Amino acid sequence: MRVEIWSDIVCPFCYIGKRRFEAALSSYQGRDQVEVIWRSFQLDPETVTDTNLSVAQSLAVKKGWSPDQTRAAMTHVIEMAKSVGLIYDFERAVVANTFDAHRLSHLAAQYGRQQDVEEHLFAAYFTEGKNIADHMILTEIGEKTGLNREQTEKALASGEFSSEVRQDLELARQFGISGVPFFVFNRHFAVSGAQDASVFLQALQKAEAAL
C-alpha cells in the first residue's frame, strides 16, 4: 500500500497530522507493507524568508487578523499540538520560504531518509526556531539523518530536485488539493486534514480491503 502525504513544513496542522497518522499506522497490522511518500506543497510560494519578522506578524498580515485574533488562533494550534506530544514555539519560529526544504526532502527520499528528514524539518521550524530556508541548517538536518554532507551542499547550491518539487505542486493542482495535510491512499481515495488517528486507521483498513 502506498500513502502519499502532501504537506508544507510551516503548516502546523501537517505536523499534528503526521503524529496522528503515525499513531494509526503503529496500530495497523499491515504497517510493514505501507510505503509512505511525502509530497511537496507550499501554502504561500511567494513567502520571502525574513528572520526579523515574527510568525504572528506574518500571519496577521496574510489573514487580515487583529493581534487578538492571531494570538487566539496560535494558542488553539499550540494546544492541539500538545495533545499529540508536540511543543510549538511560535515566538522563536522563523518566517521562511519552504521550497528548498522540500528539495532536501526529495534528496532524502532517494536514500530512504525522507521520513527522518521530514520530522527534523518540522521540529526545526516549530520547536527549535531554526531558519529552514538556510542551506547551512538544511545541510545539518541532512547530515543528522544520514545524508552525505558534501552531496547535500552540492544539491542545495545547484537547485537540484527543483523539478521534483514543482511536479508535486502540479500534481496537487491536478488533484484539486487546496489545503494540507492531504493523504492519498493508493491513488484511490483521500483523507484531508489532521484527522483523529481512528480516521486514519479506518482509511488504512479501507485501502487494504480495496487491494
Side-chain angles (χ1 to χ4, degrees), residues 13 139 142 167-168 182 186 207:
F13 302 105
T139 299
Q167 285 170 12
D168 282 354
F182 196 86
N186 282 339

Side-chain angles (χ1 to χ4, degrees), residues 39-42 98-104 106 160-171:
R39 299 292 187 192
S40 307
F41 190 91
Q42 286 195 287
T98 58
F99 192 87
D100 286 349
H102 287 303
R103 289 201 294 123
L104 176 66
H106 276 279
E160 195 174 354
F161 299 103
S162 293
S163 61
E164 285 83 351
V165 174
R166 293 191 181 98
Q167 285 170 12
D168 282 354
L169 299 177
E170 173 59 21
L171 199 53

Side-chain angles (χ1 to χ4, degrees), residues 24-141:
L25 192 60
S26 68
S27 61
Y28 173 59
Q29 289 189 345
R31 57 186 174 274
D32 292 339
Q33 304 302 314
V34 178
E35 178 188 16
V36 178
I37 299 174
W38 290 85
R39 299 292 187 192
S40 307
F41 190 91
Q42 286 195 287
L43 293 173
D44 183 3
E46 304 304 318
T47 293
V48 176
T49 301
D50 188 344
T51 58
N52 296 314
L53 184 67
S54 74
V55 169
Q57 290 171 325
S58 177
L59 189 61
V61 171
K62 287 180 180 179
K63 298 290 188 180
W65 289 344
S66 69
D68 286 344
Q69 287 175 311
T70 305
R71 279 193 294 271
M74 293 174 74
T75 298
H76 173 67
V77 170
I78 288 170
E79 291 304 313
M80 280 186 66
K82 283 182 181 178
S83 72
V84 292
L86 298 174
I87 303 299
Y88 281 8
D89 189 346
F90 287 115
E91 295 297 323
R92 298 177 63 196
V94 176
V95 175
N97 188 289
T98 58
F99 192 87
D100 286 349
H102 287 303
R103 289 201 294 123
L104 176 66
S105 180
H106 276 279
L107 169 63
Q110 289 199 337
Y111 298 95
R113 302 290 186 180
Q114 192 181 38
Q115 309 305 318
D116 290 341
V117 162
E118 287 283 335
E119 178 64 28
H120 277 76
L121 285 170
F122 279 125
Y125 177 77
F126 285 106
T127 303
E128 300 164 7
K130 294 181 178 178
N131 179 1
I132 57 167
D134 187 312
H135 286 189
M136 184 178 296
I137 297 297
L138 294 177
T139 299
E140 290 174 357
I141 288 173

